[in-house]
Amino acid sequence: MRRALQLLPLFACGLTAMIAFPSAANAQSWEIRREIREANREVARERAEGAREIMRCKTRACAEREYREANREVARERREARREVSREIREAYRDRWYRGNDRWYRDGRYWGRDEYQRRYYDRRDKNGNALTGLLVGAAVVGVVAAIADDDN
């Protein structure tokens, strides 16, 4: 019972985060999520290997050398992971309407890659929302500041 009560705030925070923030991973294909998981495992493995090597060192110079090498290896794994994930994202455009040779058959006609992407997958709210969001955010901050000053 005591352990459950200790984990309750952690669970509540996790649940709140899941509800409050939209999950990009749920919108991606399982191949992309698998590639992200593999990349995270590889980076963690390199970090653990670097930590083991540093702990084996007897001198400061050896530890510094191993630290630099571990950072290089982790950075290399991260670059490779970004490359692999971006490749999976590029290849994820082949959905169930894909017919080969960069053609899709949907809504009774064949579409080229660019026009299909624009028609069905481009976000409609890309243009012009930065200024609107900034103005709304400033208004909210102003209202909160006015309420806080009013209470004094």
Side-chain angles (χ1 to χ4, degrees):
M1 182 68 177
R2 176 184 258 169
R3 180 78 173 150
L5 289 176
Q6 288 175 344
L7 293 177
L8 187 63
L10 195 61
F11 177 71
C13 289
L15 185 63
T16 304
M18 282 177 41
I19 292 170
F21 301 114
S23 177
N26 288 337
Q28 296 169 344
S29 68
W30 68 272
E31 293 98 350
I32 296 171
R33 292 192 309 268
R34 182 187 64 200
E35 206 56 57
I36 290 170
R37 284 191 303 269
E38 286 177 9
N40 288 339
R41 276 195 299 269
E42 290 297 319
V43 169
R45 185 181 60 76
E46 285 296 333
R47 280 188 177 156
E49 183 180 328
R52 277 194 306 272
E53 294 295 325
I54 290 171
M55 295 304 289
R56 288 183 189 151
C57 287
K58 303 287 187 221
T59 65
R60 180 183 177 104
C62 173
E64 287 174 351
R65 185 176 57 248
E66 289 298 331
Y67 180 76
R68 284 192 303 271
E69 184 179 336
N71 281 340
R72 253 192 325 270
E73 291 294 321
V74 168
R76 183 184 58 77
E77 282 297 329
R78 283 185 176 161
R79 282 192 307 271
E80 186 177 323
R82 279 194 300 269
R83 217 175 2 257
E84 289 175 1
V85 169
S86 64
R87 180 183 50 81
E88 282 294 331
I89 290 172
R90 266 195 320 273
E91 292 177 358
Y93 72 90
R94 294 185 167 102
D95 57 10
R96 66 181 180 181
W97 289 283
Y98 184 68
R99 298 296 184 254
N101 295 332
D102 279 340
R103 297 180 314 143
W104 285 259
Y105 186 78
R106 192 166 176 180
D107 293 339
R109 65 169 276 207
Y110 282 97
W111 300 85
R113 180 177 60 130
D114 293 335
E115 57 186 1
Y116 179 79
Q117 185 80 18
R118 195 175 315 112
R119 166 82 184 237
Y120 294 104
Y121 289 107
D122 272 358
R123 292 184 48 184
R124 305 283 187 251
D125 59 351
K126 280 196 299 193
N127 301 329
N129 280 344
L131 183 59
T132 306
L134 197 66
L135 291 174
V136 169
V140 168
V141 168
V143 168
V144 169
I147 291 173
D149 287 341
D150 189 42
D151 289 342
N152 292 335

